[in-house]
Amino acid sequence: QKEVEQNSGPLSVPEGAIASLNCTYSDRVSQSFFWYRQYSGKSPELIMSIYSNGDKEDGRFTAQLNKASQYVSLLIRDSQPSDSATYLCAVNMIGGSQGNLIFGKGTKLSVKP
Amino acid sequence: GAGVSQSPSNKVTEKGKDVELRCDPISGHTALYWYRQSLGQGLEFLIYFQGNSAPDKSGLPSDRFSAERTGGSVSTLTIQRTQQEDSAVYLCASSLWEGREGQPQHFGDGTRLSIL
């Protein structure tokens, strides 16, 4: 069964710290990986995409991909209270029954002032 | 507009009534998805459409749920004889479809459905 696993949290970090969010996936041939942010009462918003092993940085966000270990992570540097949200990991899985992406259930992040 | 548009934004109806939810995807996106999200829960996949292919209905929870996509664009999700457990936010997303390489999905603002 094709799965994407995330720790549900909540993950609590102090303002200014680095928040580290992790995601593992079951399909070795997955090629595309995405992170979404979902504020309470809002719809998911795409914040990062990564396709190759290694790190990809965008402002305070860094996505890290390790295909051999089948995990992808999101680092948020200098965390702000406005980063408090649920973060969803999404992975493409060929032949999946849910279209091109499988979503994890999300990790809730709380950044304390 | 440039994004995925859903209507209505809120719907309150009595148990047993039928409801129709509408989704207008981003222009040029051939794939369209419906999800359901209950309070504090993850995304529950319902159905997706890709081009002219038969839709994948594997996530529909019962035969009271159906969806169609006319002309490869606008989609309607219909729930017949609504039950209280149908109360949730219904999210629509669309994406390009590039074969093996997954494309990001872009979400609408959702329809909040409340069954009294």
Side-chain angles (χ1 to χ4, degrees), chain A residues 3-65:
Chain A
E3 294 181 334
V4 175
E5 300 284 345
Q6 295 182 257
N7 188 320
S8 62
L11 173 66
S12 184
V13 301
E15 184 174 357
I18 296 175
S20 178
L21 305 162
N22 299 311
C23 171
T24 60
Y25 59 95
S26 61
D27 191 347
R28 288 188 171 277
V29 300
S30 293
Q31 299 183 31
S32 308
F33 308 85
F34 307 96
W35 284 99
Y36 287 79
R37 177 176 62 199
Q38 187 174 24
Y39 291 116
S40 180
K42 301 295 185 181
S43 60
E45 171 194 13
L46 178 69
I47 56 172
M48 287 287 286
S49 59
I50 187 167
Y51 303 93
S52 304
N53 278 327
D55 295 359
K56 179 181 178 181
E57 186 175 317
D58 183 359
R60 294 186 296 112
F61 297 96
T62 298
Q64 298 177 317
L65 175 61

Side-chain angles (χ1 to χ4, degrees), chain A residues 29 31-32 34 36 38 41-46 49 51 88 92 94 96-101 103-105, chain B residues 33 35 37 42-43 45 48 56 58 91 95-97 99-110 112:
Chain A
V29 300
Q31 299 183 31
S32 308
F34 307 96
Y36 287 79
Q38 187 174 24
K42 301 295 185 181
S43 60
E45 171 194 13
L46 178 69
S49 59
Y51 303 93
L88 304 174
N92 88 302
I94 305 304
S97 64
Q98 301 183 12
N100 64 340
L101 292 185
F103 285 84
K105 295 190 181 302
Chain B
Y33 310 80
Y35 297 89
Q37 190 171 38
L43 296 174
F45 167 79
Y48 91 93
D56 181 339
S58 59
L91 291 164
S95 75
L96 296 169
W97 186 269
R100 290 182 62 84
E101 181 178 321
Q103 294 293 320
Q105 296 177 14
H106 301 271
F107 287 83
D109 290 336
R112 186 174 300 276

Side-chain angles (χ1 to χ4, degrees), chain B residues 14-28:
Chain B
E14 294 179 345
K15 176 182 173 181
K17 300 288 189 182
D18 297 352
V19 295
E20 283 190 353
L21 311 179
R22 177 189 167 101
C23 174
D24 197 345
I26 293 172
S27 179

Side-chain angles (χ1 to χ4, degrees), chain A residues 54-100:
Chain A
D55 295 359
K56 179 181 178 181
E57 186 175 317
D58 183 359
R60 294 186 296 112
F61 297 96
T62 298
Q64 298 177 317
L65 175 61
N66 184 324
K67 291 184 180 181
S69 299
Q70 294 175 236
Y71 84 77
V72 56
S73 62
L74 179 70
L75 301 179
I76 306 175
R77 290 182 301 281
D78 187 24
S79 296
Q80 301 296 310
S82 58
D83 295 325
S84 298
T86 297
Y87 290 80
L88 304 174
C89 173
V91 180
N92 88 302
M93 294 197 182
I94 305 304
S97 64
Q98 301 183 12
N100 64 340

Side-chain angles (χ1 to χ4, degrees), chain B residues 20-92:
Chain B
E20 283 190 353
L21 311 179
R22 177 189 167 101
C23 174
D24 197 345
I26 293 172
S27 179
H29 281 191
T30 58
L32 185 148
Y33 310 80
W34 284 100
Y35 297 89
R36 179 169 71 174
Q37 190 171 38
S38 300
L39 189 63
Q41 301 300 308
L43 296 174
E44 178 187 1
F45 167 79
L46 297 177
I47 186 171
Y48 91 93
F49 299 85
Q50 162 48 23
N52 295 320
S53 302
D56 181 339
K57 305 179 181 180
S58 59
L60 294 178
S62 78
D63 58 8
R64 297 187 294 106
F65 288 73
S66 63
E68 62 178 21
R69 188 179 185 190
T70 54
S73 182
V74 172
S75 176
T76 302
L77 177 68
T78 300
I79 308 173
Q80 296 178 311
R81 306 181 301 281
T82 52
Q83 304 294 314
Q84 288 186 331
E85 60 264 28
D86 299 334
S87 296
V89 176
Y90 288 79
L91 291 164
C92 177

